[in-house]
Amino acid sequence: MARKAASGSKPSAGDDLKIDPSLLPTLLQHAADVVVEAGSHAAELADEADGRGKRCREYFRKLTELFDLYTSPTNLAGGNPKYPLPAIVAKQLGSFCSYLSAGIIPDPIKHCARRGRPLGPDEGRDVRYAVIYVLAAKRRLIRDRHPLETIVKEYGLSSRKTVQTWIVKHREAIAQKSFADPGLIMDRMHEAARRYRVSGHEGLRGDRVERHADRHSDTRPVAPSLDRDSGRADRRH
């Protein structure tokens, strides 16, 4: 939301978080306000199943953007933040932690789950390294006449259609500087492929085990009622 400039444009993959120090307090407060707004929106429509997961995921995505600002080099001096995390956000997270420590999954977290097995942040990064490799080969920065087949083999995929889907989805988010070092592109792709093969196969089995365990766990409903004034996550019965 505030990468490179306060323009609100989506950052490119590989970009560093660059912030004008004079804008940081305003950006932090704005990011906190957006978090509260997203939480309130999720809470107001908590009983409506349609779009509930998307609203809860949006809340946590806004939290991620806030934490990116909070932990950016611009806000850290000797490892300590210059500007504190807004109290209302800390209270909301504290409420989630209270429920989790009691063995109860709050609705804002529970409703974030999606069908299938979506890519996590680490896998998403490794997928982008594959896309960078293919694009670099097409630009003849890397000597590989069949980059799609290379990715299928290295990542342990069943079809090149998967790679083509990755390219369509991620190519616009690849920063130009990602192509600066062809040798590094190759090294990163091979390392990413190794991680992907491990997490892809082992993670799928683990996901099935977790879903089986969840059916027998205590996940009593907790509505995402995030009070704007206190940051309190109220529980509804």
Side-chain angles (χ1 to χ4, degrees), residues 197-213:
R197 289 196 306 270
V198 173
S199 66
H201 295 295
E202 294 184 358
L204 181 58
R205 290 196 295 269
D207 189 46
R208 289 172 180 162
V209 170
E210 286 184 15
R211 287 202 302 269
H212 175 76

Side-chain angles (χ1 to χ4, degrees), residues 181-192:
D181 188 339
L184 185 59
I185 292 174
M186 296 179 67
D187 290 343
R188 283 178 169 173
M189 185 277 287
H190 286 297
E191 292 174 1

Side-chain angles (χ1 to χ4, degrees), residues 133-134 137-138 142-151 189:
Y133 179 90
V134 173
K138 290 183 179 296
I142 293 174
R143 298 180 64 179
D144 188 341
R145 296 178 61 185
H146 306 286
L148 293 179
E149 285 76 5
T150 298
I151 296 300
M189 185 277 287

Side-chain angles (χ1 to χ4, degrees), residues 15 64 67 79 90 95 103-104 128 145 148 164 206:
D15 281 353
T64 300
F67 289 141
S95 179
I104 303 170
R128 287 190 292 274
R145 296 178 61 185
L148 293 179
Q164 292 169 334

Side-chain angles (χ1 to χ4, degrees), residues 73-110:
T74 308
N75 193 41
L76 297 179
N80 297 313
K82 300 176 185 176
Y83 302 99
L85 192 68
I88 187 171
V89 176
K91 287 181 178 180
Q92 289 179 357
L93 294 177
S95 179
F96 292 154
C97 291
S98 294
Y99 280 111
L100 290 170
S101 66
I104 303 170
I105 302 177
D107 274 353
I109 296 176
K110 183 172 63 178

Side-chain angles (χ1 to χ4, degrees), residues 1-226:
M1 125 198 280
R3 297 180 190 266
K4 300 187 91 175
S7 62
S9 60
K10 186 175 180 179
S12 297
D15 281 353
D16 295 324
L17 191 63
K18 298 177 181 178
I19 306 166
D20 184 338
S22 65
L23 295 176
L24 184 59
T26 302
L27 292 173
L28 278 169
Q29 185 57 56
H30 175 70
D33 291 343
V34 170
V35 166
V36 173
E37 181 180 352
S40 297
H41 183 57
E44 290 167 2
L45 301 175
D47 295 329
E48 296 186 17
D50 186 30
R52 182 167 53 192
K54 182 178 180 180
R55 291 188 293 272
C56 289
R57 289 190 294 272
E58 178 68 5
Y59 168 74
F60 284 100
R61 187 175 72 83
K62 294 303 182 182
L63 267 177
T64 300
E65 293 179 354
L66 172 60
F67 289 141
D68 281 346
L69 284 171
Y70 180 68
T71 58
S72 66
T74 308
N75 193 41
L76 297 179
N80 297 313
K82 300 176 185 176
Y83 302 99
L85 192 68
I88 187 171
V89 176
K91 287 181 178 180
Q92 289 179 357
L93 294 177
S95 179
F96 292 154
C97 291
S98 294
Y99 280 111
L100 290 170
S101 66
I104 303 170
I105 302 177
D107 274 353
I109 296 176
K110 183 172 63 178
H111 293 319
C112 284
R114 307 174 82 167
R115 290 175 178 256
R117 189 171 177 274
L119 292 178
D122 291 340
E123 287 180 314
R125 171 204 59 201
D126 292 340
V127 164
R128 287 190 292 274
Y129 284 147
V131 174
I132 291 171
Y133 179 90
V134 173
L135 296 180
K138 290 183 179 296
R139 296 182 184 187
R140 298 183 180 179
L141 299 174
I142 293 174
R143 298 180 64 179
D144 188 341
R145 296 178 61 185
H146 306 286
L148 293 179
E149 285 76 5
T150 298
I151 296 300
V152 169
K153 178 182 177 181
E154 292 292 333
Y155 278 68
L157 305 174
S158 59
S159 169
R160 51 185 281 157
K161 287 184 178 180
T162 300
V163 187
Q164 292 169 334
T165 300
W166 289 353
I167 294 172
V168 171
K169 183 176 181 180
H170 296 285
R171 70 182 306 160
E172 295 301 324
I174 303 300
Q176 185 61 35
K177 67 179 183 180
S178 300
F179 301 99
D181 188 339
L184 185 59
I185 292 174
M186 296 179 67
D187 290 343
R188 283 178 169 173
M189 185 277 287
H190 286 297
E191 292 174 1
R194 177 182 54 78
R195 288 191 299 265
Y196 187 89
R197 289 196 306 270
V198 173
S199 66
H201 295 295
E202 294 184 358
L204 181 58
R205 290 196 295 269
D207 189 46
R208 289 172 180 162
V209 170
E210 286 184 15
R211 287 202 302 269
H212 175 76
D214 284 345
R215 287 198 294 268
H216 298 84
S217 65
D218 180 10
T219 56
R220 287 169 288 173
V222 182
S225 179
L226 300 171

